[in-house]
Amino acid sequence: NLMAAYLFKNYTINYPNSEHTEECAYMAAYCYYNEAPVYSLDATNTYRAIKALQSFADTYPQSERVSKCNNLIDELRDRLSLKAFNNAKQYYTTSNFKSAIIALNNVLIDFPSFKNRQEVHFLIVKSTYLLAINSISTKIYERLQATLEAYSHFKDNYPNSIYLKELETTYNKTKKTLNQLKENQDEI
């Protein structure tokens, strides 16, 4: 496929005014698309395919193939978002909660159309709580406050979520721990 992409691209360079140039440009981009692996593998060819498809759409905006290019780009971006999400989730699974929070927030920023945003927000709430209760004493209060904020954001955005019951338990534990910290502070 990469050899075919190379040959198609060379044709477009050598014969820019040919009646077949548009088709060859599309075929070069499509060959890169076919080289894009499943989401769990290296994404270099996925990025290359997106770039080639976008370049085709920019070069030939009136082409009937532009909508197909846009669909393929969307599919490739879905792969990238799934890859980013699974990488972020791995931080959570391995109890690296600070990295999980950063990576999960990056998924939300980098892929605003990610289909499973609810689970991302759920994992952020869980990660903020688990980071807080495993923190040194000087950081617990601040991090528990972050848990309350993350929970509030989740509840506002997903009031009927299947995750809400579990997060309510986390919320209650957070409030209880904050109250205990406040009582201990008052005693001093």
Side-chain angles (χ1 to χ4, degrees):
N1 270 336
L2 291 178
M3 180 55 94
Y6 171 78
L7 293 172
F8 282 125
K9 187 172 183 173
N10 263 0
Y11 184 92
T12 64
I13 292 168
N14 292 327
Y15 305 102
N17 298 322
S18 169
E19 64 183 81
H20 302 292
T21 302
E22 179 186 323
E23 181 180 5
C24 287
Y26 174 77
M27 290 307 297
Y30 190 73
C31 287
Y32 285 123
Y33 164 80
N34 284 330
E35 282 296 309
V38 294
Y39 76 89
S40 60
L41 298 177
D42 178 52
T44 302
N45 284 335
T46 305
Y47 286 110
R48 183 181 292 157
I50 290 172
K51 185 177 177 184
L53 290 163
Q54 188 62 56
S55 178
F56 175 84
D58 293 344
T59 305
Y60 302 100
Q62 304 303 321
S63 174
E64 62 189 33
R65 295 179 178 100
V66 168
S67 65
K68 177 70 171 165
C69 283
N70 289 335
N71 291 338
L72 295 175
I73 289 170
D74 289 344
E75 179 187 326
L76 293 171
R77 285 188 180 143
D78 285 346
R79 288 185 203 176
L80 292 174
S81 65
L82 189 57
K83 181 178 186 66
F85 172 69
N86 282 328
N87 289 342
K89 193 173 180 180
Q90 190 66 30
Y91 287 123
Y92 174 82
T93 304
T94 58
S95 301
N96 193 343
F97 303 117
K98 193 171 189 177
S99 295
I101 295 164
I102 293 166
L104 289 163
N105 276 309
N106 284 341
V107 169
L108 296 172
I109 293 165
D110 295 342
F111 303 100
S113 61
F114 182 61
K115 292 175 177 63
N116 205 355
R117 293 177 72 80
Q118 186 176 154
E119 186 176 2
V120 174
H121 284 286
F122 165 77
L123 290 172
I124 289 172
V125 175
K126 295 296 285 184
S127 294
T128 57
Y129 175 73
L130 292 167
L131 176 65
I133 64 169
N134 291 298
S135 294
I136 59 174
S137 59
T138 56
K139 300 230 179 207
I140 292 175
Y141 183 83
E142 172 190 339
R143 290 179 174 171
L144 287 172
Q145 289 295 339
T147 302
L148 293 179
E149 289 173 26
Y151 170 79
S152 177
H153 180 78
F154 184 92
K155 190 174 180 182
D156 289 347
N157 286 287
Y158 310 104
N160 300 317
S161 172
I162 60 169
Y163 299 115
L164 204 51
K165 186 169 182 136
E166 182 177 345
L167 290 184
E168 284 173 357
T169 302
T170 301
Y171 172 80
N172 291 333
K173 289 179 189 175
T174 303
K175 291 295 279 184
K176 182 178 179 182
T177 306
L178 280 169
N179 287 336
Q180 289 172 344
L181 287 173
K182 190 173 183 327
E183 287 173 12
N184 291 344
Q185 192 72 334
D186 289 345
E187 290 175 8
I188 296 176

